[in-house]
Amino acid sequence: MEKSTIYRCIRKCPINKHCFVLKVPGQLQQPLPVLVKCEAAKGKDIPMVIGGRPP
């Protein structure tokens, strides 16, 4: 069975939450830019780069 990697938000959060971003089988080998809907920012899209190193 292949190990899954869960990527979470890495920004400092005013509501102390580490939101789920992406779950992939294995690890991302290269950085991936994504937009995340942020609850703390009242639903705004927050740009973030995930992957390329262990979470």
Side-chain angles (χ1 to χ4, degrees), residues 12-48:
K12 185 171 179 164
C13 184
I15 59 174
N16 295 321
K17 190 172 179 184
H18 293 284
C19 298
F20 169 79
V21 176
L22 182 68
K23 182 177 182 179
V24 294
Q27 289 185 353
L28 296 174
Q29 298 302 316
Q30 296 188 5
L32 177 69
V34 294
L35 289 175
V36 179
K37 288 270 187 209
C38 182
E39 287 183 33
K42 299 181 181 173
K44 292 182 183 177
D45 287 334
I46 304 293
M48 172 180 316

